[in-house]
Amino acid sequence: MGHPRPEPEKGTADGITLDEVFFDVVFVLTVTQLAGTLETHLDWAGFGSSALIFGLLWYLYTGYAWLNNHLPPRQSTTRLLLFAGMAGFLLTAVALPDALTDTGVLFAVGYLVVVAVHLILFLHSDARSGALRLAPYNIGAALLVLAAAAFTGPAVPTLWATAVFTQAVLPYLLPRLSWTGAPAAFHLRPAHFVERHGLLVIVALGESVVAIGMGVPSEQLTAGKAAVIVLALALPVALWWTYFTDMRPAEAALAAAAPAIRTRTAASAYVLPHFLLLLGVIATVSGLHATVAHPDEPATPGAALALSGGVALFLIGITATRRALRLPIPLSRLTAALAALAAVAIGLAVAAPAQLGAVTGVVVLMLVTDTPRASRRVGHERSAPVQPR
């Protein structure tokens, strides 16, 4: 007679574990690497490559967020496997600067580890049926990335784009084979899910502070450059404040959603919108670093567009998140995104710090004018108690 199968681990507490915090810190190294790579290639080709690479990594990160929502790392075996997943993400981050050329094999090996650990852990959760539906897409994407390492030239980005399509788009086109065809296979703890993504955003924005600190050598520090550094800190603070304002309404919206549609709603709000949001952080970090490093000069076209475009992408991502959650959308969000883009002209004509000041002022003005009213309105609408599942 065979041994009884162990019961899957289930989490009842909504709080994020320290293991998940550590995991996010490791993953955010990919943001740092991509921002550094983009800064050396501030053109459309560089941005396209960054978007392609981050798209592949982001989809698997969201997979781990869903995983830990089902299976908190509270047992030693789960923790050790989660650390193995971290090692895979670390390998991909180390390989990132040349992932489309010289270090493609290292990236692919790390990515295969990430995919394998994700599947193994999910098979020990209460959502193993959903994991099995998604496994062919994830494994197929990993094999496409590995195959790309054997090629050079246009075949490489083509295979990578096919991998992203396989993972992020194909499941929606073949819903009977994916979680979209059987949402009951997955459950969702709204508080944990919202907090996990909020934690990732604040860690990613923290990387922008690192970029600020590394932008100016200490021997070149002057009063003027110190003022630019302080101004540069205000922008990520304002972006985080914008995101933080939406966290409680987002949690309430997910908690209030019917269980049958909660999974779809969460995916609509946190996959593509947060990809845009974090891609905006990557671009903003590149622009901030360039501004702090050359505060006495006009911005280059690439740096100016990275700074303003990154902020605009961040605000568009936040707006898309609110739309998916059916929350009120303050008009100021899209207005501020357009105003941030218009500030590119200031950086090109005057100086990079002037553009930074204008963009920061736009976000702060947005917060001062609309966010308090929107928060009060959402709080009033969500004041009724949410019935537990």
Side-chain angles (χ1 to χ4, degrees), residues 142-352:
L143 293 177
L144 284 168
V145 173
L146 181 61
F151 294 89
T152 58
V156 177
T158 300
L159 286 169
W160 275 65
T162 304
V164 174
F165 176 85
T166 299
Q167 264 190 338
V169 179
L170 198 55
Y172 291 88
L173 301 180
L174 302 172
R176 292 183 180 180
L177 302 178
S178 72
W179 67 266
T180 57
F186 295 90
H187 61 71
L188 185 74
R189 294 181 288 136
H192 172 275
F193 197 76
V194 173
E195 184 184 2
R196 179 70 184 270
H197 286 83
L199 172 67
L200 179 69
V201 171
I202 195 171
V203 174
L205 286 172
E207 288 302 306
S208 66
V209 179
V210 174
I212 294 168
M214 297 178 63
V216 180
S218 57
E219 63 272 10
Q220 299 179 12
L221 192 60
T222 64
K225 290 182 179 180
V228 174
I229 290 173
V230 173
L231 180 61
L233 177 62
L235 180 57
V237 169
L239 293 179
W240 165 243
W241 198 290
T242 303
Y243 189 91
F244 174 79
T245 301
D246 288 355
M247 284 185 65
R248 286 190 177 180
E251 180 183 335
L254 281 181
I261 65 169
R262 187 177 293 149
T263 298
R264 293 175 184 268
T265 301
S268 298
Y270 286 91
V271 180
L272 180 57
H274 275 61
F275 166 72
L276 296 175
L277 187 154
L278 286 162
L279 192 61
V281 171
I282 291 169
T284 301
V285 169
S286 300
L288 277 175
H289 190 275
T291 299
V292 173
H294 308 285
D296 302 323
E297 306 172 11
T300 64
L305 189 58
L307 180 62
S308 289
V311 172
L313 269 178
F314 187 93
L315 295 175
I316 290 170
I318 287 215
T319 301
T321 300
R322 293 185 71 94
R323 184 177 183 277
L325 294 171
R326 297 184 178 180
L327 294 171
I329 300 175
L331 180 62
S332 64
R333 300 294 170 87
L334 294 178
T335 303
L338 292 174
L341 286 174
V344 169
I346 299 175
L348 297 177
V350 183

